[in-house]
């Protein structure tokens, strides 16, 4: 089951560090998507991976805090039923 992991990377202050963080995460097997937010220094990763391995690899870049780990919430479509 896919999970969503949000990490705060305290050293992600420039484009070079952001690129390095994304490349490091992309090497891990099972990653579906990666989103980086420079203003809040957050990296959001979605996929089937071990969050401990993820944090361990990211420690090579700088200080990392795990903000949240949980299941991916899928967008629910509202189904309209026509009653006759």
């Amino acid at each position: 089951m896919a999970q969503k992991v949000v990490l705060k990377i305290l050293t992600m202050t420039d484009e070079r560090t952001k690129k390095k963080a994304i490349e490091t995460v992309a090497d891990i097997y099972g990653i579906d998507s990666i989103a980086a937010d420079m203003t809040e220094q957050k990296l959001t990763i979605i996929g089937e991976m071990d969050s401990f391995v993820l944090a361990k690899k990211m420690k090579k870049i700088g200080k990392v805090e795990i903000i949240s780990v949980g299941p991916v919430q899928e967008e629910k479509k509202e189904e309209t039923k026509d009653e006759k």
Side-chain angles (χ1 to χ4, degrees):
M1 187 169 126
Q3 54 178 299
K4 179 179 178 181
V5 179
V6 180
L7 301 174
K8 183 169 185 172
I9 305 169
L10 300 175
T11 57
M12 191 166 68
T13 56
D14 57 353
E15 287 294 321
R16 181 174 171 232
T17 310
K18 176 183 168 184
K19 182 179 177 185
K20 198 180 227 185
I22 291 173
E23 288 175 353
T24 302
V25 172
D27 287 341
I28 299 172
Y29 179 78
I31 302 294
D32 293 333
S33 70
I34 306 165
D37 184 9
M38 290 284 293
T39 57
E40 296 182 13
Q41 297 177 328
K42 289 184 182 178
L43 194 67
T44 305
I45 304 109
I46 297 175
E48 296 181 14
M49 72 285 183
D50 186 11
S51 58
F52 178 75
V53 172
L54 184 66
K56 187 176 178 182
K57 285 211 177 212
M58 294 305 295
K59 276 194 160 195
K60 294 178 182 176
I61 292 180
K63 186 166 172 68
V64 176
E65 294 177 3
I66 299 175
I67 295 177
S68 69
V69 177
V72 176
Q73 296 179 1
E74 298 177 8
E75 297 178 10
K76 295 182 181 180
K77 296 179 182 177
E78 293 183 20
E79 296 180 14
T80 56
K81 296 181 182 178
D82 296 332
E83 295 180 18
K84 293 185 180 179

